[in-house]
Structure formats: C-alpha cells, structure tokens
Amino acid sequence: MARTKEFDPDAALQAALELFWRRGYEATSMSDLVTHLGIGRASIYATFGNKHELYLKALDRYDRTGLPPILRELSQPGPALPAVRKLVRRYAAEAADARERLNGCMITNAAAELAPHDRATARHVERNWDQLETVLHSALVRAQAQGELPAGRDPLALARMLLVLLQGLRVVGKASPDPARVRDAAEQALALLD
C-alpha cells in the first residue's frame, strides 16, 4: 500500500518558488530547500525531481500566476493605451519600491542567471517573453485601430521595445536604490507612444 504524502505539494512548490525567487538558483542548495520546505530530501526528489526540475516547476508556477492578470488588464474593452501605460508605470513603481525591488522578477532573474547556459530555462524565459510581447502587441494593434496610436507607428516594434523596457526596469530597479532612474526611463518610453 502506498503511503500518503505528509505534506502539501502545492504549498511546498510555492515555498520553493519563493526561495528560488529570493536567492536565485545557484545560491539555493538542496539543504536550503529541505529546511525551507520542511520536508525531507527524498520527498522532494520523489515529488518534484532534482533541484533543476523543481526550479523549472517553480518557474512554471510563477509564469501561470503572473501573465494572466496582465492579459486581463490589456484585453479589457475600451481604450487600450491607458492600460499599456498603467502596466509600464506599475512595473516602474514595483522596480522602485524598496520592499519589492530586491527580488526583482523571477523570469528576469532566470534570464540573467541561467538562460545563457541552460537550454530548458532559456526556453521557459523565451516562452514568457513571447507571451508578454504578444499581449503588448495585441493591445497596441487595438490602440492603433481605435485611433489612440498614430497610424505610422509599428505596434510590433513598440511591443518589443516595451518588453525590453519592462525587463530592464526589473534589472535596474533590483540593483539601483535610485527610484527616479526607473521612473524617468518608463516615462520617456511612454512618450514614444504619443
């Protein structure tokens, strides 16, 4: 007869996500995971696989919780450009917030730490960025069709610029204690939408 799990796998995955997000992949050891999750090493391996597999599952979870609200925000009926502006300003505010900035964005962190030499992480990061770019592009196409964005602007190029800006805000915000740096950059980028 199989033993039942003595822990909640969903809660353990959330705890792993939080630890990886705060410390990064390399700085998080299996011993750290055992302590933080409060479960044995054998249970971690049996439920999630090795550290790398657990990390990828944590990235998946982060992705599933982060992108849907952005999709909802940018897909609301009515004017699209105010929603894009609100999203960019929110990223800047989060990047400048002393409490939030130190963690940054888990996807951005993964891109900087692992993606250059880890194909599975690179695929995950690229998939996330493709989704975000697509959502931004759709909102900008809608904005252009509604007359909010000048006809001569390229919605795809603008979506790509905003994607790079959003990721850059996370990186700079994490490393710089000067909130004006990210706020000014965001406002200058938003001026390109006028």
Side-chain angles (χ1 to χ4, degrees), residues 6-59:
E6 298 175 7
F7 67 94
D8 178 356
D10 191 58
L13 181 57
Q14 181 61 35
L17 182 157
E18 291 165 3
L19 186 61
F20 282 130
W21 189 2
R22 187 172 64 249
R23 297 188 67 189
Y25 178 79
E26 294 296 337
T28 302
S29 68
M30 275 305 286
S31 295
D32 295 331
L33 288 163
V34 166
T35 300
H36 190 73
L37 275 59
I39 58 177
R41 186 180 300 254
S43 293
I44 292 173
Y45 284 119
T47 305
F48 303 109
N50 63 29
K51 175 182 154 183
H52 188 255
E53 291 168 317
L54 175 55
Y55 180 77
L56 293 175
K57 288 175 176 138
L59 273 178

Side-chain angles (χ1 to χ4, degrees), residues 133-179:
E133 180 182 296
T134 298
V135 170
L136 287 164
H137 180 228
S138 295
L140 292 169
V141 165
R142 207 169 86 243
Q144 196 167 51
Q146 295 172 165
E148 302 168 66
L149 187 65
R153 299 295 173 87
D154 180 348
L156 181 57
L158 287 170
R160 289 179 171 162
M161 182 271 302
L162 289 174
L163 170 69
V164 172
L165 171 77
L166 296 176
Q167 297 307 301
L169 291 174
R170 298 291 198 190
V171 172
V172 173
K174 187 172 179 172
S176 175
D178 182 4

Side-chain angles (χ1 to χ4, degrees), residues 89-154:
R89 287 184 176 125
R90 189 178 80 236
Y91 265 67
E94 289 170 0
D97 185 287
R99 294 165 295 162
E100 294 191 36
R101 74 178 186 83
L102 294 179
N103 282 347
C105 167
M106 191 166 176
I107 298 296
T108 308
N109 297 346
E113 182 183 14
L114 290 181
H117 55 83
D118 179 340
R119 292 178 75 183
T121 300
R123 280 192 303 273
H124 190 90
V125 167
E126 192 62 31
R127 184 174 59 244
N128 175 281
W129 288 350
D130 284 346
Q131 291 170 335
L132 183 53
E133 180 182 296
T134 298
V135 170
L136 287 164
H137 180 228
S138 295
L140 292 169
V141 165
R142 207 169 86 243
Q144 196 167 51
Q146 295 172 165
E148 302 168 66
L149 187 65
R153 299 295 173 87
D154 180 348

Side-chain angles (χ1 to χ4, degrees), residues 59-103:
L59 273 178
D60 282 335
R61 181 183 184 95
Y62 181 86
D63 208 15
R64 284 192 316 271
T65 58
L67 278 174
I70 293 171
L71 176 59
R72 279 192 301 276
E73 285 175 44
L74 296 181
S75 301
Q76 294 294 316
L81 215 46
V84 171
R85 290 179 186 284
K86 182 179 176 183
L87 176 71
V88 171
R89 287 184 176 125
R90 189 178 80 236
Y91 265 67
E94 289 170 0
D97 185 287
R99 294 165 295 162
E100 294 191 36
R101 74 178 186 83
L102 294 179
N103 282 347

